[in-house]
Amino acid sequence: MAPPWVVICGLSGAIAIISELGNRRRNNRRDIDDVGFVPWSTITALALLTFGISLAFGVGILSTP
């Protein structure tokens, strides 16, 4: 079984990719007045932050007491 940091890192990376695709789709929409309600850039930033922290824990840069 994979360590929990690896699982969290993989999930947050996948969420970051999906949210970037959603942000790209929103930026390239045909009807400019068709606004969305999902804050894709905030989701991307939080997912990348989670990815970085879980990667640091997984590699051993950070450690739990």
Side-chain angles (χ1 to χ4, degrees):
M1 185 168 160
W5 299 117
V6 174
V7 174
I8 293 171
C9 187
L11 286 175
S12 63
I15 290 171
I17 291 171
I18 291 169
S19 65
E20 270 302 308
L21 291 174
N23 194 20
R24 179 178 166 86
R25 185 173 176 216
R26 181 179 64 183
N27 287 336
N28 294 332
R29 65 182 178 259
R30 290 184 185 183
D31 185 9
I32 197 69
D33 293 329
D34 187 19
V35 296
F37 64 93
V38 180
W40 293 115
S41 54
T42 304
I43 293 172
T44 302
L46 292 175
L48 289 176
L49 179 68
T50 306
F51 178 81
I53 291 172
S54 62
L55 185 66
F57 273 116
V59 172
I61 296 171
L62 298 175
S63 61
T64 56

Short mmCIF file of all heavy atoms in Angstrom, two decimals:
data_model
loop_
_atom_site.label_atom_id
_atom_site.label_comp_id
_atom_site.label_asym_id
_atom_site.label_seq_id
_atom_site.Cartn_x
_atom_site.Cartn_y
_atom_site.Cartn_z
N MET A 1 0.85 -1.19 0.00
CA MET A 1 0.00 0.00 0.00
C MET A 1 0.88 1.24 0.00
O MET A 1 1.91 1.29 0.66
CB MET A 1 -0.90 -0.01 1.24
CG MET A 1 -1.87 1.12 1.25
SD MET A 1 -3.09 0.84 2.54
CE MET A 1 -3.67 2.47 2.71
N ALA A 2 0.46 2.22 -0.75
CA ALA A 2 1.23 3.46 -0.88
C ALA A 2 1.12 4.29 0.40
O ALA A 2 0.08 4.29 1.07
CB ALA A 2 0.73 4.27 -2.05
N PRO A 3 2.18 5.00 0.75
CA PRO A 3 2.11 5.89 1.91
C PRO A 3 1.05 6.98 1.70
O PRO A 3 0.76 7.36 0.57
CB PRO A 3 3.51 6.51 1.98
CG PRO A 3 4.39 5.62 1.18
CD PRO A 3 3.51 4.98 0.16
N PRO A 4 0.49 7.48 2.79
CA PRO A 4 -0.59 8.47 2.63
C PRO A 4 -0.14 9.76 1.94
O PRO A 4 -0.94 10.38 1.25
CB PRO A 4 -1.05 8.74 4.06
CG PRO A 4 -0.02 8.17 4.95
CD PRO A 4 0.72 7.14 4.18
N TRP A 5 1.11 10.15 2.10
CA TRP A 5 1.58 11.38 1.45
C TRP A 5 1.60 11.24 -0.07
O TRP A 5 1.34 12.19 -0.80
CB TRP A 5 2.95 11.78 1.95
CG TRP A 5 2.96 12.05 3.42
CD1 TRP A 5 3.66 11.38 4.36
CD2 TRP A 5 2.22 13.05 4.12
NE1 TRP A 5 3.40 11.89 5.60
CE2 TRP A 5 2.51 12.92 5.48
CE3 TRP A 5 1.32 14.03 3.73
CZ2 TRP A 5 1.96 13.74 6.45
CZ3 TRP A 5 0.76 14.84 4.70
CH2 TRP A 5 1.07 14.70 6.03
N VAL A 6 1.90 10.04 -0.53
CA VAL A 6 1.91 9.81 -1.98
C VAL A 6 0.50 9.87 -2.54
O VAL A 6 0.27 10.44 -3.61
CB VAL A 6 2.58 8.45 -2.28
CG1 VAL A 6 2.48 8.11 -3.75
CG2 VAL A 6 4.02 8.43 -1.84
N VAL A 7 -0.44 9.30 -1.81
CA VAL A 7 -1.85 9.33 -2.25
C VAL A 7 -2.37 10.77 -2.28
O VAL A 7 -3.00 11.19 -3.26
CB VAL A 7 -2.71 8.45 -1.32
CG1 VAL A 7 -4.18 8.58 -1.68
CG2 VAL A 7 -2.27 7.00 -1.39
N ILE A 8 -2.08 11.52 -1.23
CA ILE A 8 -2.53 12.92 -1.17
C ILE A 8 -1.87 13.73 -2.29
O ILE A 8 -2.51 14.57 -2.93
CB ILE A 8 -2.22 13.53 0.21
CG1 ILE A 8 -3.06 12.85 1.27
CG2 ILE A 8 -2.45 15.03 0.21
CD1 ILE A 8 -2.68 13.22 2.68
N CYS A 9 -0.60 13.47 -2.52
CA CYS A 9 0.12 14.18 -3.59
C CYS A 9 -0.50 13.88 -4.96
O CYS A 9 -0.71 14.78 -5.77
CB CYS A 9 1.58 13.77 -3.55
SG CYS A 9 2.65 14.69 -4.65
N GLY A 10 -0.81 12.62 -5.21
CA GLY A 10 -1.42 12.24 -6.49
C GLY A 10 -2.81 12.83 -6.68
O GLY A 10 -3.14 13.33 -7.77
N LEU A 11 -3.61 12.79 -5.62
CA LEU A 11 -4.97 13.35 -5.72
C LEU A 11 -4.94 14.86 -5.92
O LEU A 11 -5.69 15.40 -6.75
CB LEU A 11 -5.77 13.01 -4.46
CG LEU A 11 -6.23 11.57 -4.34
CD1 LEU A 11 -6.90 11.34 -2.98
CD2 LEU A 11 -7.18 11.21 -5.46
N SER A 12 -4.09 15.55 -5.19
CA SER A 12 -4.03 17.00 -5.35
C SER A 12 -3.46 17.39 -6.71
O SER A 12 -3.88 18.39 -7.30
CB SER A 12 -3.23 17.65 -4.22
OG SER A 12 -1.89 17.20 -4.24
N GLY A 13 -2.54 16.60 -7.23
CA GLY A 13 -2.04 16.85 -8.59
C GLY A 13 -3.13 16.67 -9.64
O GLY A 13 -3.25 17.46 -10.58
N ALA A 14 -3.94 15.63 -9.46
CA ALA A 14 -5.05 15.39 -10.39
C ALA A 14 -6.09 16.51 -10.30
O ALA A 14 -6.61 16.97 -11.33
CB ALA A 14 -5.69 14.04 -10.10
N ILE A 15 -6.38 16.96 -9.09
CA ILE A 15 -7.33 18.07 -8.92
C ILE A 15 -6.79 19.34 -9.56
O ILE A 15 -7.55 20.10 -10.19
CB ILE A 15 -7.65 18.27 -7.43
CG1 ILE A 15 -8.48 17.10 -6.92
CG2 ILE A 15 -8.39 19.58 -7.19
CD1 ILE A 15 -8.68 17.09 -5.43
N ALA A 16 -5.49 19.58 -9.43
CA ALA A 16 -4.89 20.77 -10.05
C ALA A 16 -5.01 20.72 -11.57
O ALA A 16 -5.32 21.73 -12.21
CB ALA A 16 -3.43 20.91 -9.63
N ILE A 17 -4.77 19.55 -12.15
CA ILE A 17 -4.89 19.42 -13.61
C ILE A 17 -6.33 19.62 -14.06
O ILE A 17 -6.59 20.35 -15.03
CB ILE A 17 -4.35 18.05 -14.06
CG1 ILE A 17 -2.84 17.99 -13.87
CG2 ILE A 17 -4.74 17.75 -15.50
CD1 ILE A 17 -2.25 16.63 -14.09
N ILE A 18 -7.28 19.02 -13.35
CA ILE A 18 -8.69 19.16 -13.71
C ILE A 18 -9.14 20.61 -13.58
O ILE A 18 -9.86 21.13 -14.44
CB ILE A 18 -9.55 18.22 -12.85
CG1 ILE A 18 -9.29 16.77 -13.24
CG2 ILE A 18 -11.03 18.55 -12.98
CD1 ILE A 18 -9.87 15.76 -12.30
N SER A 19 -8.71 21.29 -12.52
CA SER A 19 -9.12 22.68 -12.34
C SER A 19 -8.49 23.60 -13.38
O SER A 19 -9.10 24.58 -13.80
CB SER A 19 -8.81 23.16 -10.93
OG SER A 19 -7.42 23.18 -10.70
N GLU A 20 -7.28 23.29 -13.81
CA GLU A 20 -6.67 24.09 -14.88
C GLU A 20 -7.41 23.88 -16.20
O GLU A 20 -7.56 24.82 -16.99
CB GLU A 20 -5.19 23.75 -15.04
CG GLU A 20 -4.29 24.59 -14.19
CD GLU A 20 -4.45 26.08 -14.46
OE1 GLU A 20 -4.36 26.53 -15.61
OE2 GLU A 20 -4.66 26.80 -13.48
N LEU A 21 -7.86 22.66 -16.44
CA LEU A 21 -8.66 22.42 -17.65
C LEU A 21 -9.98 23.17 -17.58
O LEU A 21 -10.44 23.72 -18.59
CB LEU A 21 -8.91 20.92 -17.83
CG LEU A 21 -7.69 20.09 -18.20
CD1 LEU A 21 -8.03 18.61 -18.20
CD2 LEU A 21 -7.14 20.51 -19.54
N GLY A 22 -10.59 23.21 -16.40
CA GLY A 22 -11.82 23.98 -16.23
C GLY A 22 -11.59 25.47 -16.42
O GLY A 22 -12.42 26.17 -17.01
N ASN A 23 -10.47 25.97 -15.92
CA ASN A 23 -10.14 27.39 -16.09
C ASN A 23 -9.88 27.72 -17.56
O ASN A 23 -10.32 28.75 -18.06
CB ASN A 23 -8.92 27.74 -15.24
CG ASN A 23 -8.74 29.23 -15.10
OD1 ASN A 23 -9.67 29.99 -15.28
ND2 ASN A 23 -7.54 29.62 -14.74
N ARG A 24 -9.20 26.82 -18.26
CA ARG A 24 -8.94 27.03 -19.69
C ARG A 24 -10.26 27.03 -20.48
O ARG A 24 -10.46 27.83 -21.38
CB ARG A 24 -8.01 25.94 -20.20
CG ARG A 24 -7.71 26.04 -21.67
CD ARG A 24 -6.75 24.95 -22.08
NE ARG A 24 -6.68 24.81 -23.49
CZ ARG A 24 -5.90 25.49 -24.29
NH1 ARG A 24 -5.11 26.39 -23.78
NH2 ARG A 24 -5.90 25.29 -25.59
N ARG A 25 -11.14 26.10 -20.10
CA ARG A 25 -12.44 26.03 -20.78
C ARG A 25 -13.25 27.30 -20.54
O ARG A 25 -13.92 27.80 -21.43
CB ARG A 25 -13.20 24.80 -20.28
CG ARG A 25 -14.48 24.57 -20.98
CD ARG A 25 -15.09 23.26 -20.56
NE ARG A 25 -16.38 23.14 -21.22
CZ ARG A 25 -17.43 22.60 -20.69
NH1 ARG A 25 -17.37 22.09 -19.48
NH2 ARG A 25 -18.56 22.54 -21.34
N ARG A 26 -13.19 27.83 -19.31
CA ARG A 26 -13.92 29.06 -19.01
C ARG A 26 -13.33 30.24 -19.78
O ARG A 26 -14.05 31.10 -20.28
CB ARG A 26 -13.88 29.35 -17.51
CG ARG A 26 -14.65 30.61 -17.16
CD ARG A 26 -14.63 30.90 -15.70
NE ARG A 26 -13.26 31.18 -15.27
CZ ARG A 26 -12.92 31.41 -14.03
NH1 ARG A 26 -13.82 31.36 -13.08
NH2 ARG A 26 -11.68 31.65 -13.71
N ASN A 27 -12.02 30.31 -19.89
CA ASN A 27 -11.38 31.42 -20.59
C ASN A 27 -11.64 31.39 -22.09
O ASN A 27 -11.61 32.42 -22.75
CB ASN A 27 -9.87 31.43 -20.33
CG ASN A 27 -9.55 31.88 -18.94
OD1 ASN A 27 -10.32 32.58 -18.31
ND2 ASN A 27 -8.40 31.45 -18.44
N ASN A 28 -11.88 30.21 -22.66
CA ASN A 28 -12.09 30.07 -24.10
C ASN A 28 -13.55 29.90 -24.48
O ASN A 28 -13.84 29.43 -25.58
CB ASN A 28 -11.27 28.89 -24.63
CG ASN A 28 -9.79 29.12 -24.52
OD1 ASN A 28 -9.32 30.25 -24.55
ND2 ASN A 28 -9.04 28.05 -24.37
N ARG A 29 -14.47 30.26 -23.61
CA ARG A 29 -15.89 30.07 -23.91
C ARG A 29 -16.34 31.02 -25.03
O ARG A 29 -15.79 32.11 -25.19
CB ARG A 29 -16.74 30.25 -22.66
CG ARG A 29 -16.73 31.65 -22.10
CD ARG A 29 -17.56 31.72 -20.83
NE ARG A 29 -17.50 33.06 -20.28
CZ ARG A 29 -16.75 33.42 -19.27
NH1 ARG A 29 -15.98 32.55 -18.68
NH2 ARG A 29 -16.75 34.66 -18.84
N ARG A 30 -17.35 30.60 -25.74
CA ARG A 30 -17.85 31.41 -26.85
C ARG A 30 -18.73 32.55 -26.37
O ARG A 30 -18.61 33.67 -26.86
CB ARG A 30 -18.64 30.54 -27.81
CG ARG A 30 -17.78 29.58 -28.57
CD ARG A 30 -18.59 28.81 -29.57
NE ARG A 30 -17.73 27.80 -30.19
CZ ARG A 30 -18.11 27.02 -31.14
NH1 ARG A 30 -19.35 27.09 -31.60
NH2 ARG A 30 -17.29 26.14 -31.66
N ASP A 31 -19.62 32.26 -25.43
CA ASP A 31 -20.53 33.29 -24.93
C ASP A 31 -19.89 33.94 -23.71
O ASP A 31 -19.84 33.36 -22.63
CB ASP A 31 -21.87 32.65 -24.56
CG ASP A 31 -22.91 33.68 -24.15
OD1 ASP A 31 -22.64 34.89 -24.32
OD2 ASP A 31 -23.98 33.27 -23.66
N ILE A 32 -19.37 35.14 -23.87
CA ILE A 32 -18.65 35.82 -22.81
C ILE A 32 -19.55 36.17 -21.63
O ILE A 32 -19.09 36.32 -20.50
CB ILE A 32 -17.95 37.09 -23.37
CG1 ILE A 32 -16.85 37.59 -22.42
CG2 ILE A 32 -18.94 38.18 -23.67
CD1 ILE A 32 -15.68 36.70 -22.32
N ASP A 33 -20.85 36.26 -21.87
CA ASP A 33 -21.79 36.58 -20.80
C ASP A 33 -22.19 35.36 -19.98
O ASP A 33 -22.88 35.50 -18.97
CB ASP A 33 -23.05 37.24 -21.38
CG ASP A 33 -22.74 38.60 -21.97
OD1 ASP A 33 -21.82 39.26 -21.45
OD2 ASP A 33 -23.41 38.99 -22.93
N ASP A 34 -21.80 34.19 -20.42
CA ASP A 34 -22.13 32.96 -19.69
C ASP A 34 -21.10 32.76 -18.58
O ASP A 34 -20.08 32.09 -18.76
CB ASP A 34 -22.13 31.78 -20.65
CG ASP A 34 -22.63 30.51 -20.00
OD1 ASP A 34 -23.29 30.60 -18.95
OD2 ASP A 34 -22.35 29.43 -20.55
N VAL A 35 -21.37 33.36 -17.44
CA VAL A 35 -20.40 33.32 -16.34
C VAL A 35 -20.55 32.02 -15.55
O VAL A 35 -21.61 31.42 -15.52
CB VAL A 35 -20.57 34.53 -15.39
CG1 VAL A 35 -20.27 35.80 -16.13
CG2 VAL A 35 -21.97 34.57 -14.81
N GLY A 36 -19.47 31.61 -14.92
CA GLY A 36 -19.49 30.42 -14.10
C GLY A 36 -19.45 30.78 -12.63
O GLY A 36 -19.25 31.94 -12.26
N PHE A 37 -19.62 29.78 -11.79
CA PHE A 37 -19.62 30.04 -10.35
C PHE A 37 -18.48 29.33 -9.63
O PHE A 37 -18.34 29.46 -8.42
CB PHE A 37 -20.96 29.61 -9.74
CG PHE A 37 -21.23 28.14 -9.85
CD1 PHE A 37 -20.88 27.29 -8.82
CD2 PHE A 37 -21.83 27.61 -10.97
CE1 PHE A 37 -21.12 25.93 -8.91
CE2 PHE A 37 -22.09 26.26 -11.07
CZ PHE A 37 -21.73 25.42 -10.04
N VAL A 38 -17.67 28.55 -10.34
CA VAL A 38 -16.59 27.80 -9.71
C VAL A 38 -15.30 28.63 -9.77
O VAL A 38 -14.88 29.04 -10.85
CB VAL A 38 -16.38 26.45 -10.42
CG1 VAL A 38 -15.26 25.67 -9.78
CG2 VAL A 38 -17.66 25.64 -10.40
N PRO A 39 -14.65 28.88 -8.63
CA PRO A 39 -13.40 29.65 -8.62
C PRO A 39 -12.20 28.75 -9.00
O PRO A 39 -11.46 28.27 -8.14
CB PRO A 39 -13.31 30.13 -7.18
CG PRO A 39 -14.01 29.08 -6.39
CD PRO A 39 -15.11 28.56 -7.28
N TRP A 40 -12.01 28.53 -10.29
CA TRP A 40 -10.99 27.59 -10.74
C TRP A 40 -9.59 27.98 -10.32
O TRP A 40 -8.78 27.11 -9.97
CB TRP A 40 -11.06 27.43 -12.26
CG TRP A 40 -12.29 26.76 -12.73
CD1 TRP A 40 -13.28 27.31 -13.51
CD2 TRP A 40 -12.72 25.42 -12.47
NE1 TRP A 40 -14.27 26.39 -13.73
CE2 TRP A 40 -13.95 25.22 -13.10
CE3 TRP A 40 -12.18 24.37 -11.74
CZ2 TRP A 40 -14.64 24.01 -13.04
CZ3 TRP A 40 -12.87 23.17 -11.68
CH2 TRP A 40 -14.09 23.00 -12.33
N SER A 41 -9.26 29.25 -10.34
CA SER A 41 -7.91 29.65 -9.98
C SER A 41 -7.63 29.42 -8.50
O SER A 41 -6.51 29.02 -8.12
CB SER A 41 -7.67 31.12 -10.34
OG SER A 41 -8.68 31.93 -9.76
N THR A 42 -8.62 29.60 -7.64
CA THR A 42 -8.45 29.32 -6.21
C THR A 42 -8.28 27.82 -5.97
O THR A 42 -7.43 27.40 -5.17
CB THR A 42 -9.65 29.85 -5.42
OG1 THR A 42 -9.81 31.23 -5.68
CG2 THR A 42 -9.47 29.62 -3.94
N ILE A 43 -9.06 27.02 -6.67
CA ILE A 43 -8.95 25.57 -6.53
C ILE A 43 -7.57 25.10 -7.00
O ILE A 43 -6.93 24.26 -6.36
CB ILE A 43 -10.07 24.86 -7.30
CG1 ILE A 43 -11.42 25.17 -6.64
CG2 ILE A 43 -9.84 23.36 -7.37
CD1 ILE A 43 -12.61 24.68 -7.42
N THR A 44 -7.09 25.67 -8.10
CA THR A 44 -5.76 25.31 -8.60
C THR A 44 -4.68 25.68 -7.60
O THR A 44 -3.78 24.89 -7.32
CB THR A 44 -5.49 26.02 -9.95
OG1 THR A 44 -6.50 25.65 -10.88
CG2 THR A 44 -4.14 25.65 -10.49
N ALA A 45 -4.76 26.89 -7.04
CA ALA A 45 -3.75 27.33 -6.08
C ALA A 45 -3.74 26.45 -4.84
O ALA A 45 -2.67 26.05 -4.36
CB ALA A 45 -4.00 28.79 -5.71
N LEU A 46 -4.90 26.12 -4.30
CA LEU A 46 -4.96 25.28 -3.11
C LEU A 46 -4.49 23.85 -3.41
O LEU A 46 -3.81 23.23 -2.58
CB LEU A 46 -6.38 25.26 -2.54
CG LEU A 46 -6.86 26.59 -1.94
CD1 LEU A 46 -8.31 26.49 -1.52
CD2 LEU A 46 -5.98 27.00 -0.77
N ALA A 47 -4.82 23.34 -4.58
CA ALA A 47 -4.37 22.00 -4.95
C ALA A 47 -2.85 21.96 -5.12
O ALA A 47 -2.20 21.00 -4.69
CB ALA A 47 -5.06 21.54 -6.22
N LEU A 48 -2.28 23.00 -5.72
CA LEU A 48 -0.83 23.03 -5.88
C LEU A 48 -0.11 23.22 -4.55
O LEU A 48 0.98 22.67 -4.33
CB LEU A 48 -0.43 24.13 -6.86
CG LEU A 48 -0.79 23.85 -8.32
CD1 LEU A 48 -0.44 25.05 -9.19
CD2 LEU A 48 -0.07 22.60 -8.82
N LEU A 49 -0.71 23.97 -3.64
CA LEU A 49 -0.15 24.12 -2.29
C LEU A 49 -0.16 22.77 -1.57
O LEU A 49 0.85 22.37 -0.96
CB LEU A 49 -0.94 25.16 -1.50
CG LEU A 49 -0.49 25.40 -0.07
CD1 LEU A 49 0.88 26.05 -0.05
CD2 LEU A 49 -1.50 26.27 0.65
N THR A 50 -1.27 22.06 -1.65
CA THR A 50 -1.37 20.74 -1.05
C THR A 50 -0.38 19.77 -1.70
O THR A 50 0.26 18.96 -1.02
CB THR A 50 -2.79 20.19 -1.18
OG1 THR A 50 -3.70 21.14 -0.63
CG2 THR A 50 -2.95 18.87 -0.49
N PHE A 51 -0.23 19.86 -3.01
CA PHE A 51 0.72 19.02 -3.73
C PHE A 51 2.14 19.26 -3.24
O PHE A 51 2.87 18.32 -2.96
CB PHE A 51 0.61 19.32 -5.24
CG PHE A 51 1.58 18.54 -6.08
CD1 PHE A 51 1.29 17.23 -6.43
CD2 PHE A 51 2.76 19.11 -6.51
CE1 PHE A 51 2.18 16.51 -7.21
CE2 PHE A 51 3.65 18.39 -7.29
CZ PHE A 51 3.36 17.09 -7.64
N GLY A 52 2.51 20.52 -3.11
CA GLY A 52 3.87 20.85 -2.66
C GLY A 52 4.15 20.40 -1.24
O GLY A 52 5.22 19.86 -0.94
N ILE A 53 3.20 20.61 -0.35
CA ILE A 53 3.40 20.22 1.04
C ILE A 53 3.46 18.70 1.18
O ILE A 53 4.32 18.17 1.88
CB ILE A 53 2.29 20.82 1.93
CG1 ILE A 53 2.46 22.34 2.02
CG2 ILE A 53 2.31 20.21 3.32
CD1 ILE A 53 1.32 23.06 2.70
N SER A 54 2.57 18.00 0.49
CA SER A 54 2.59 16.54 0.59
C SER A 54 3.83 15.97 -0.08
O SER A 54 4.38 14.96 0.38
CB SER A 54 1.33 15.94 -0.01
OG SER A 54 1.23 16.25 -1.38
N LEU A 55 4.32 16.60 -1.13
CA LEU A 55 5.57 16.18 -1.75
C LEU A 55 6.74 16.38 -0.80
O LEU A 55 7.62 15.52 -0.69
CB LEU A 55 5.78 16.93 -3.06
CG LEU A 55 6.99 16.52 -3.89
CD1 LEU A 55 6.79 15.10 -4.41
CD2 LEU A 55 7.19 17.48 -5.04
N ALA A 56 6.75 17.50 -0.09
CA ALA A 56 7.82 17.75 0.88
C ALA A 56 7.79 16.74 2.01
O ALA A 56 8.85 16.28 2.47
CB ALA A 56 7.70 19.18 1.44
N PHE A 57 6.61 16.37 2.48
CA PHE A 57 6.51 15.34 3.52
C PHE A 57 6.95 13.99 2.96
O PHE A 57 7.62 13.21 3.64
CB PHE A 57 5.09 15.23 4.05
CG PHE A 57 4.79 16.17 5.17
CD1 PHE A 57 3.84 17.17 5.02
CD2 PHE A 57 5.44 16.07 6.38
CE1 PHE A 57 3.55 18.05 6.04
CE2 PHE A 57 5.17 16.94 7.42
CZ PHE A 57 4.23 17.93 7.25
N GLY A 58 6.55 13.69 1.75
CA GLY A 58 6.90 12.40 1.15
C GLY A 58 8.38 12.23 0.89
O GLY A 58 8.95 11.16 1.09
N VAL A 59 9.04 13.30 0.44
CA VAL A 59 10.47 13.23 0.16
C VAL A 59 11.28 13.25 1.45
O VAL A 59 12.36 12.69 1.52
CB VAL A 59 10.87 14.39 -0.79
CG1 VAL A 59 12.36 14.49 -0.95
CG2 VAL A 59 10.20 14.20 -2.14
N GLY A 60 10.76 13.90 2.46
CA GLY A 60 11.45 13.96 3.73
C GLY A 60 12.00 15.32 4.08
O GLY A 60 12.75 15.47 5.05
N ILE A 61 11.68 16.33 3.28
CA ILE A 61 12.12 17.69 3.58
C ILE A 61 11.46 18.18 4.86
O ILE A 61 12.09 18.78 5.72
CB ILE A 61 11.81 18.63 2.40
CG1 ILE A 61 12.59 18.19 1.18
CG2 ILE A 61 12.12 20.07 2.75
CD1 ILE A 61 12.23 18.89 -0.10
N LEU A 62 10.18 17.88 5.01
CA LEU A 62 9.46 18.15 6.24
C LEU A 62 9.20 16.82 6.95
O LEU A 62 9.09 15.79 6.31
CB LEU A 62 8.11 18.82 5.94
CG LEU A 62 8.15 20.19 5.26
CD1 LEU A 62 6.75 20.64 4.93
CD2 LEU A 62 8.82 21.21 6.16
N SER A 63 9.10 16.87 8.25
CA SER A 63 8.82 15.63 8.97
C SER A 63 7.83 15.92 10.10
O SER A 63 7.76 17.02 10.62
CB SER A 63 10.09 15.03 9.55
OG SER A 63 10.67 15.92 10.48
N THR A 64 7.08 14.90 10.43
CA THR A 64 6.13 15.03 11.54
C THR A 64 6.84 14.63 12.82
O THR A 64 7.69 13.73 12.82
CB THR A 64 4.91 14.13 11.31
OG1 THR A 64 5.35 12.80 11.12
CG2 THR A 64 4.13 14.58 10.09
N PRO A 65 6.53 15.28 13.93
CA PRO A 65 7.22 14.96 15.20
C PRO A 65 6.83 13.60 15.76
O PRO A 65 5.92 12.99 15.46
CB PRO A 65 6.80 16.06 16.15
CG PRO A 65 5.63 16.72 15.54
CD PRO A 65 5.61 16.36 14.09
#
